[in-house]
Amino acid sequence: MWTFPLSRILSILQLIKTADLDPSKNYIIGVHPHGVLIVGGFTNFCTEATGFPDLYPGINPYLLMLPLWFRAPFFRDYIMCGGLIPSDKESATYVLKQKKSGTALVIAVGGAPEALDARPGSCTILMKNRKGFISLAIKNGAHLVPAFTFGENDLFDQVDNPRGSLLRAIQEKLQKVMGVALPLFHARGVFQYSFGLIPYRKPINTVVGKPIPVTENPHPSNEEVDLLHKLYMEKLSELFEEHKARYNVPAERHLTFV
């Protein structure tokens, strides 16, 4: 894993552990929300900046990333150095099958489309129809671990693009064609804070929840997948509600699953 050298950023990044992860088992860690650039997911699970090896000894994390980025020469080798792997089913299954224990696949469940909802104060989680990682967990007996990054959506502002608007329709169409989302985001500059592409200086706290036990079944039924999916959303909501006051989230704000 890499060591992240930017000390000014380290002071506002934190990984919070709520339970041990048994290194004799495999895990799928769902990271929410995706945000614009999934800063929390990358920093916590692809670098040693926040002490992941010390908090979870014996666990090797692999963050999933869109396959198209692995087609770029040199950049492919760069991202693989951080433990990133393509987010297709074959790559994820291969890692879980080859390494029977101590492996944690880290998945930004909302993916690129969720980036279009990333703006300060947003608690929209793209989740209702995201069941592929649930099926993957059951087929491989990998325990599920919800994780929520407080502050991820506060790093950038985004041009207003409500669902149903013309801009949102264009963005969603381009996302389906290109495979990547194109949020029109902005934040601050290098020498001024009024406009630019450098993220705002906001604290980012990733809280990793307790593992949800999963029993291996090579051929799970739709009902089994639906039940585990519902349980996962409940545990993610509980994790958010339990910790939101600590990170200055208003009491009336709750997760919205779409």
Side-chain angles (χ1 to χ4, degrees):
M1 299 177 73
W2 297 336
T3 298
F4 204 70
L6 303 180
S7 58
R8 293 187 68 183
I9 296 181
L10 288 184
S11 62
I12 60 172
L13 286 166
Q14 188 175 10
L15 180 65
I16 297 90
K17 171 182 175 180
T18 63
D20 291 329
L21 297 184
D22 185 351
S24 67
K25 297 178 174 59
N26 283 341
Y27 301 90
I28 293 180
I29 301 176
V31 177
H32 311 268
H34 181 285
V36 172
L37 296 177
I38 193 170
V39 173
F42 175 79
T43 307
N44 289 306
F45 302 106
C46 293
T47 80
E48 297 181 358
T50 52
F52 183 92
D54 297 324
L55 291 172
Y56 300 101
I59 302 295
N60 297 308
Y62 296 87
L63 178 64
L64 273 63
M65 191 175 188
L66 287 172
L68 68 89
W69 297 115
F70 291 84
R71 303 188 188 118
F74 304 111
F75 184 71
R76 170 183 180 274
D77 303 278
Y78 172 72
I79 58 179
M80 288 180 69
C81 288
L84 286 96
I85 61 175
S87 58
D88 54 72
K89 184 174 72 173
E90 291 76 14
S91 298
T93 301
Y94 177 82
V95 172
L96 291 174
K97 292 295 186 184
Q98 291 297 311
K99 302 182 179 182
K100 299 295 184 180
S101 62
T103 294
L105 288 184
V106 184
I107 303 176
V109 178
E114 195 175 73
L116 299 178
D117 289 315
R119 54 177 43 83
S122 173
C123 290
T124 300
I125 303 297
L126 186 58
M127 184 77 190
K128 283 188 175 180
N129 295 318
R130 299 277 168 149
K131 300 180 181 179
F133 76 106
I134 300 291
S135 179
L136 180 68
I138 297 175
K139 290 178 180 179
N140 293 278
H143 298 331
L144 288 165
V145 182
F148 192 89
T149 301
F150 293 91
E152 182 73 57
N153 284 341
D154 298 332
L155 296 178
F156 298 94
D157 287 311
Q158 186 172 170
V159 174
D160 194 31
N161 61 340
R163 295 175 183 273
S165 65
L166 176 60
L167 175 58
R168 185 59 170 260
I170 294 173
Q171 289 175 316
E172 290 176 345
K173 182 64 175 180
L174 290 174
Q175 190 274 321
K176 290 179 180 178
V177 173
M178 302 172 60
V180 295
L182 298 173
L184 300 179
F185 63 92
H186 58 89
R188 64 184 178 89
V190 178
F191 302 110
Q192 46 77 30
Y193 283 28
S194 57
F195 189 82
L197 296 179
I198 297 177
Y200 295 122
R201 290 196 183 108
K202 300 289 184 178
I204 303 173
N205 299 282
T206 300
V207 183
V208 181
K210 299 177 182 178
I212 303 170
V214 176
T215 301
E216 184 175 356
N217 180 1
H219 306 287
S221 64
N222 291 335
E223 292 76 12
E224 186 178 358
V225 172
D226 289 343
L227 283 173
L228 187 56
H229 181 260
K230 181 180 179 181
L231 176 61
Y232 180 89
M233 288 196 295
E234 291 174 354
K235 294 299 182 182
L236 178 61
S237 291
E238 290 175 7
L239 184 70
F240 176 80
E241 295 295 333
E242 181 181 353
H243 294 273
K244 67 180 183 180
R246 184 181 306 171
Y247 303 112
N248 300 317
V249 177
E252 66 275 9
R253 189 173 297 164
H254 310 283
L255 294 184
T256 301
F257 295 105
V258 296

